[in-house]
């Protein structure tokens, strides 16, 4: 996101979103404006504590705050609505972006710590048949700053340190590759959120060229692949991306990724009643993943309004899990959080309207 210096008349400036301005550019600005270099650290710390106005930067002199406000903005991402679950500590945040678009993110708390699930795009182009995120269309990629703001503002609102990042909200992160990778590196930066890369997960529906590219990043984050089916016929009908990147090619890319990185892949498999949850499906899954350094994460399918799919009943989920486990594949069933506020996998959408 590059700001223009002036409009046609030359009288006004486009202001840059401060969360999108890197450390180097900000310290350069401070030098150019002839403020003392230590001001950089103060501003930088305020940002990651989640301020959204310059007046909240209380230890800065007024002239510096005024100059910042002339060149930068902090209000590109504003809280529109927050829903807190009555069942657990989950909260869903709806953000309004400067161009009127909306996105959602989710805060979760587990025994292992806190977690934020961020959106990577405004809407999604992947068109998965069972997912609400596809339904309201696609507008644009999020910037790195818009990704970071979701974490900063949720950390501030919850008054908690954020321990885990999952890029599993609205959008296909591998389509917004550079911003997502920049975001993960920034989350890891000790001067930003200082979150271990091992506590970050990126989920993709299976965009093969980007999986290869990601393998070369040397980032020990967890790669999750949304699998959801074990035959091309079914997977193509549920997930259109499979027509472009069919299962056997996807599995080859995953094996390459594992060889190159030595890292375990997490395969997500959402169970929908009568669609992909039979014992045969489970056995085919075991065969598909046989010998791979991987883990299966079963997601009990979540209901999405106006969609034909229903989550599998508990006994079928358990039966499926047992077959996969007996087949020697490490498997867990994802816990349902935020079920009363439509905050579960596949329930986030671009707009509430
Ligand atoms: N586009 C990426 C990131 C989204 S992650 C991806 O496809 O992986 C969200 C996860 O929730 C994906 O695994 C997605 O397939 C899954 N999901 C979508 N709709 C769902 C539903 N109704 N029930 C359960 N999981 C769902």
């Amino acid at each position: 996101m590059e700001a223009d210096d002036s409009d046609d008349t030359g009288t006004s400036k486009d202001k840059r979103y401060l969360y999108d301005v890197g450390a180097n550019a900000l310290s350069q600005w401070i030098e150019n404006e002839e403020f003392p270099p230590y001001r950089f650290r103060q501003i930088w710390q305020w940002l990651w504590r989640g301020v959204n106005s310059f007046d909240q930067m209380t230890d800065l002199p007024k002239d510096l705050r005024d100059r910042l406000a002339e060149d930068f903005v902090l209000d590109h991402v504003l809280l529109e609505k927050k829903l807190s679950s009555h069942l657990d500590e989950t909260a869903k945040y709806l953000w309004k972006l400067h161009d009127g678009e909306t996105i959602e993110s989710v805060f979760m708390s587990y025994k292992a710590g806190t977690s934020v699930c961020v959106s990577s795009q405004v809407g999604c182009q992947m068109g998965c048949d069972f997912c609400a995120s596809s339904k309201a269309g696609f507008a644009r990629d999020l910037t790195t700053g818009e990704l970071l703001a979701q974490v900063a503002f949720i950390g501030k609102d919850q008054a908690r340190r954020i321990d885990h990042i999952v890029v599993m909200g609205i959008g296909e992160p591998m389509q917004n590759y550079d911003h997502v990778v920049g975001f993960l590196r920034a989350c890891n930066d000790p001067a930003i959120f200082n979150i271990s890369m091992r506590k970050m997960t990126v989920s993709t529906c299976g965009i093969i060229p980007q999986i290869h590219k990601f393998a070369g990043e040397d980032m020990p984050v967890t790669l999750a692949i949304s699998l959801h089916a074990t035959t091309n016929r079914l997977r193509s009908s549920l997930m259109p991306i499979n027509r472009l990147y069919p299962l056997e090619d996807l599995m080859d890319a995953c094996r390459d990724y594992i060889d190159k990185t030595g890292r375990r892949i997490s395969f997500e498999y959402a169970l929908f009643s009568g669609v992909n949850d039979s014992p045969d499906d489970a056995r085919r899954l075991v065969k598909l993943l046989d010998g791979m350094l991987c883990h299966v994460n079963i997601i009990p399918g979540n209901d999405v309004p106006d969609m034909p799919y229903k989550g599998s009943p508990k006994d079928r989920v358990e039966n499926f899990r047992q077959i996969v486990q007996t087949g020697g594949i490490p498997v867990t069933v994802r816990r349902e959080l935020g079920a009363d506020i439509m905050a579960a996998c596949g329930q986030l959408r671009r707009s509430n309207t």
Side-chain angles (χ1 to χ4, degrees):
M1 206 188 72
E2 288 302 321
D4 287 328
D5 275 345
S6 62
D7 66 11
D8 288 340
T9 64
T11 54
S12 73
K13 267 176 143 184
D14 271 340
K15 299 182 183 186
R16 296 197 68 188
Y17 186 40
L18 196 51
Y19 283 93
D20 272 315
V21 175
N24 291 342
L26 181 59
S27 40
Q28 189 63 55
W29 182 88
I30 288 168
E31 195 184 321
N32 294 348
E33 298 296 319
E34 299 181 353
F35 289 106
Y38 69 88
R39 294 294 183 198
F40 166 77
R41 236 190 92 149
Q42 288 177 307
I43 300 169
W44 204 238
Q45 284 178 343
W46 279 117
L47 274 182
W48 313 116
R49 278 187 235 146
V51 298
N52 57 16
S53 87
F54 294 104
D55 288 340
Q56 290 169 30
M57 300 184 172
T58 47
D59 54 3
L60 300 187
K62 179 94 171 64
D63 63 331
L64 174 51
R65 278 185 273 154
D66 289 347
R67 272 301 290 123
L68 281 167
E70 278 171 34
D71 283 10
F72 305 107
V73 287
L74 276 174
D75 60 356
H76 267 193
V77 178
L78 291 175
L79 180 62
E80 176 91 345
K81 193 156 78 181
K82 173 185 168 187
L83 292 173
S84 298
S85 171
H86 298 293
L87 306 172
D88 49 59
E89 285 186 74
T90 305
K92 181 165 82 168
Y93 294 80
L94 176 75
W95 309 105
K96 184 143 199 159
L97 309 178
H98 64 103
D99 54 359
E101 298 291 352
T102 52
I103 50 153
E104 298 185 324
S105 357
V106 179
F107 169 82
M108 292 160 282
S109 179
Y110 305 87
K111 273 203 200 97
T114 58
S115 179
V116 168
C117 174
V118 297
S119 290
S120 56
Q121 296 180 309
V122 180
C124 188
Q125 293 177 301
M126 295 298 101
C128 297
D129 210 22
F130 45 81
C131 181
S133 300
S134 288
K135 301 299 158 179
F138 173 82
R140 65 176 175 88
D141 287 338
L142 293 182
T143 65
T144 301
E146 288 169 327
L147 279 150
L148 288 166
Q150 296 174 57
V151 180
F153 297 165
I154 290 178
K156 178 166 193 256
D157 183 63
Q158 295 286 336
R160 304 271 292 272
R161 186 189 140 74
I162 304 302
D163 303 306
H164 299 259
I165 298 289
V166 292
V167 190
M168 289 195 181
I170 302 163
E172 169 48 50
M174 292 297 175
Q175 274 204 323
N176 187 13
Y177 188 92
D178 291 345
H179 292 158
V180 167
V181 167
F183 163 72
L184 296 172
R185 291 198 197 282
C187 286
N188 181 239
D189 184 333
I192 299 186
F193 299 129
N194 198 20
I195 301 171
S196 160
M197 289 219 183
R198 293 174 198 283
K199 295 184 174 179
M200 301 179 192
T201 301
V202 180
S203 180
T204 176
C205 60
I207 303 192
I208 291 178
Q210 309 301 74
I211 294 174
H212 289 307
K213 194 167 169 194
F214 199 59
E217 296 287 350
D218 195 22
M219 292 166 73
V221 307
T222 300
L223 178 65
I225 305 280
S226 297
L227 201 57
H228 308 324
T230 54
T231 63
N232 277 319
R233 189 150 172 252
L234 180 61
R235 195 163 189 271
S236 292
S237 79
L238 295 173
M239 304 175 68
I241 193 71
N242 193 69
R243 293 174 209 154
L244 194 58
Y245 300 121
L247 263 178
E248 50 279 16
D249 296 352
L250 177 59
M251 299 318 289
D252 280 347
C254 288
R255 275 186 280 269
D256 280 355
Y257 177 90
I258 294 167
D259 282 350
K260 196 157 176 192
T261 63
R263 298 194 58 76
R264 182 182 299 271
I265 288 186
S266 176
F267 288 99
E268 295 160 279
Y269 195 103
L271 285 177
F272 297 104
S273 195
V275 175
N276 61 354
D277 64 345
S278 72
D280 277 348
D281 286 305
R283 285 189 277 270
R284 268 195 303 270
L285 183 60
V286 168
K287 218 167 144 200
L288 198 63
L289 303 182
D290 188 36
M292 276 175 90
L293 181 63
C294 71
H295 171 266
V296 171
N297 199 206
I298 293 176
I299 313 173
N302 295 303
D303 294 351
V304 170
D306 306 325
M307 276 189 222
Y309 305 102
K310 290 273 159 263
S312 305
K314 273 206 169 78
D315 55 331
R316 251 173 118 81
V317 172
E318 178 49 24
N319 196 22
F320 196 95
R321 188 194 67 77
Q322 268 185 16
I323 296 173
V324 176
Q325 188 171 28
T326 311
I329 314 276
V331 54
T332 46
V333 177
R334 186 174 294 174
R335 231 180 93 203
E336 281 294 282
L337 291 175
D340 56 334
I341 53 169
M342 292 287 288
C345 296
Q347 294 185 319
L348 302 187
R349 48 193 304 139
R350 179 180 157 198
S351 156
N352 271 5
T353 54

